[in-house]
Amino acid sequence: MAKKGNLSIPWPFEGMQVRLNTDTGFLKLVAMATMLIDHFGAILFPQYRILRIIGRIAFPIYAYCLTVGCVYTHDMLRYVKRIVLLALLAQPLYVMAMHHTNAAMYAVSFAENPVGAALNFYVHSWDDPSILLSLALGLILLWSIRDRHLVFTLAALLLAWILRDRLDYGFNGILLMLLFFLFCQTPLLSLPIVAAFMVWWGLQGSAYAMFGVRFSSQMFALLALPLIYIRTNTRVRINKWVFYLFYPAHLALILFLDRLAVFA
């Protein structure tokens, strides 16, 4: 109870409780599986569009799980460090596996200057960052709001806006994480707001059509919402290192199978 004469307004993001689905072990398993399907569809089986449609489920679940992590993790610095370190280590593997290499990455000869070539390759691999940069930036944004460091909040939003054309899922991906966080304590308010935002996002494209309405593949991300808003209790537990290491491991698998197909 506030002391008499204390007119300060309580910060609404202290002592938060997530009132959506907190069965994150199950959600992480779904996210990993649908991400693998998505990337298989992008690189190995591009003729099957259904794989990319299924893959739209992955990002909203990853974004939501990081939101839950931000609410309940006490050592946020360690949490952010793990995501950033994973992003730094996985970036070259990401651009090779997902065919995002560019000419600048090979501007220095590996035969003549292997160290300089490797450094140049790595630096220019960041011309197309992996999803981990978006997740790390979004996590820092949520952390700054949770702990009331509003200067960092503004800085994170500004940086996300500046980098929006390079971020996987752009600025909208950051906004989705923000919406999950801001309304995770009020499901009846969260669902219509998040769903409306995702519909608006999905309408920013014309690859698909239904009932005379054209929309992008991002519209299929709505399929993730029942998993996020309907409470489950599967008791699935995934070791945190399995969850983190799955990302580079699945990229290595895709790269191996892709190269194998080339030489077959």
Side-chain angles (χ1 to χ4, degrees):
M1 183 178 295
K3 294 181 180 180
K4 184 176 181 180
N6 185 355
L7 300 179
S8 62
I9 300 174
W11 189 239
F13 305 108
E14 290 179 347
M16 296 175 68
Q17 294 291 323
V18 176
R19 304 192 185 281
L20 313 181
N21 190 8
T22 54
D23 191 2
T24 53
F26 168 67
L27 291 175
K28 289 175 181 178
L29 190 62
V30 173
M32 290 189 294
T34 51
M35 179 178 66
L36 181 63
I37 291 170
D38 182 41
H39 290 169
F40 265 52
I43 304 302
L44 302 175
F45 305 105
Q47 67 272 31
Y48 300 118
R49 298 180 97 187
I50 185 62
L51 300 180
R52 304 306 309 280
I53 290 173
I54 294 172
R56 298 309 93 208
I57 295 173
F59 177 72
I61 295 180
Y62 273 113
Y64 171 71
C65 285
L66 259 69
T67 296
V68 176
C70 180
V71 171
Y72 291 119
T73 299
H74 295 293
D75 194 342
M76 279 297 299
L77 181 58
R78 181 178 294 180
Y79 191 18
V80 171
K81 281 181 177 179
R82 284 198 294 262
I83 301 296
V84 170
L85 180 60
L86 185 60
L88 293 172
L89 295 176
Q91 180 60 28
L93 191 56
Y94 165 76
V95 294
M96 290 189 293
M98 301 306 295
H99 296 180
H100 292 322
T101 55
N102 56 70
M105 295 170 66
Y106 300 98
V108 180
S109 171
F110 277 89
E112 297 176 3
N113 184 4
V115 175
L119 180 60
N120 177 77
F121 185 94
Y122 182 80
V123 169
H124 285 286
S125 74
W126 285 94
D127 292 346
D128 193 344
S130 76
I131 187 62
L132 293 172
L133 178 61
S134 296
L135 295 177
L137 188 54
L139 191 58
I140 291 170
L141 172 65
L142 304 187
W143 178 19
S144 70
I145 296 173
R146 189 196 75 172
D147 291 355
R148 206 170 184 174
H149 299 307
L150 301 186
V151 172
F152 288 100
T153 300
L154 294 175
L157 284 171
L158 179 60
L159 182 59
W161 179 255
I162 293 172
L163 297 176
R164 65 190 184 280
D165 292 333
R166 291 194 177 188
L167 293 178
D168 208 357
Y169 294 98
F171 192 68
N172 286 343
I174 302 296
L175 290 180
L176 180 62
M177 293 181 67
L178 182 60
L179 291 176
F180 277 137
F181 179 79
L182 294 178
F183 301 104
C184 67
Q185 301 184 94
T186 53
L188 294 180
L189 188 59
S190 176
L191 179 57
I193 290 175
V194 170
F197 174 75
M198 292 175 70
V199 168
W200 170 81
W201 188 359
L203 290 173
Q204 298 175 28
S206 58
Y208 297 84
M210 185 178 294
F211 305 117
V213 178
R214 303 201 67 85
F215 53 90
S216 71
S217 63
Q218 193 57 38
M219 187 69 78
F220 296 107
L222 288 164
L223 297 172
L225 295 188
L227 297 168
I228 293 171
Y229 286 92
I230 297 175
R231 287 180 172 270
T232 57
N233 186 26
T234 63
R235 298 183 180 180
V236 171
R237 294 290 182 267
I238 297 178
N239 182 278
K240 65 182 179 182
W241 292 112
V242 172
F243 179 63
Y244 291 132
L245 295 177
F246 178 81
Y247 188 78
H250 97 283
L251 291 175
L253 175 62
I254 291 171
L255 182 61
F256 171 75
L257 294 177
D258 188 34
R259 296 296 186 268
L260 191 65
V262 170
F263 293 109

